Amino acid sequence: SFDNASPDEKLTNVCELLQKNISYYDWVGFYFANEAEKTLHLKAFAGEPTDHTVIPFGKGICGQVAVSNNNFVVPDVQAQDNYIACSITVKSEIVIPLFKDGKNIGQIDIDSNTADPFTEEDERFLEWVNEQVAKVL
Ligand code: SME
């Protein structure tokens, strides 16, 4: 159940809920920052396993969000030069920073096999998801 779940299990539940219910959310994961190492670490995900469980700050879409503190919506991943490909089926991506006490501590990362599916509604929704997650961390 949700109540008995560990923090990591709760994060996995959130990933699975989003991935199963939103047709164009094909891979959903949470990365968290290691400030000393300046790396992001994959904590929970739903979808195909990825080789990219550790990402240096600045590298790829995720690494750029670790530095910028801003949402990053990518309608076409092939148009990005600083991009880390996890699967050849992925066409687009959205990364939303997760703030705890005003600090960027991680992010939700969503890959889509659909071209250009993400709107401002996704941004507002995922900001809200991250706010809820921050409360239980
Ligand atoms: N595409 C991401 C890497 C993480 S995978 O999408 C799971 C990036 O460019 O940072």
Side-chain angles (χ1 to χ4, degrees):
S1 77
F2 255 61
D3 257 8
N4 294 324
S6 69
D8 281 13
E9 286 170 337
K10 287 184 184 180
L11 280 177
T12 302
N13 287 337
V14 172
C15 292
E16 288 177 350
L17 189 68
L18 294 174
Q19 194 248 9
K20 280 180 185 146
N21 287 284
I22 303 174
S23 62
Y24 54 94
Y25 288 10
D26 291 293
W27 188 94
V28 180
F30 284 98
Y31 286 92
F32 287 91
N34 180 319
E35 290 294 337
E37 283 184 9
K38 302 229 168 293
T39 48
L40 291 164
H41 296 255
L42 185 63
K43 263 279 187 203
F45 71 95
E48 290 295 307
T50 175
D51 288 338
H52 302 106
T53 56
V54 182
I55 298 175
F57 283 13
K59 266 213 80 192
I61 309 305
C62 295
Q64 291 177 77
V65 169
V67 176
S68 74
N69 308 323
N70 291 319
N71 295 350
F72 200 156
V73 180
V74 181
D76 173 9
V77 293
Q78 294 205 46
Q80 295 290 319
D81 41 47
N82 188 359
Y83 169 69
I84 303 164
C86 282
S87 159
I88 55 159
T89 63
V90 173
K91 290 199 169 76
S92 56
E93 180 163 3
I94 186 170
V95 179
I96 308 289
L98 193 158
F99 297 98
K100 175 92 179 169
D101 302 324
K103 208 174 140 29
N104 178 1
I105 62 161
Q107 54 194 237
I108 189 167
D109 174 21
I110 297 173
D111 285 341
S112 181
N113 299 337
T114 301
D116 196 11
F118 301 115
T119 66
E120 284 183 18
E121 195 183 357
D122 293 283
E123 289 190 71
R124 300 294 89 77
F125 171 60
L126 295 168
E127 287 165 359
W128 176 84
V129 169
N130 280 355
E131 283 166 25
Q132 308 318 305
V133 167
K135 288 179 195 171
V136 299
L137 284 179

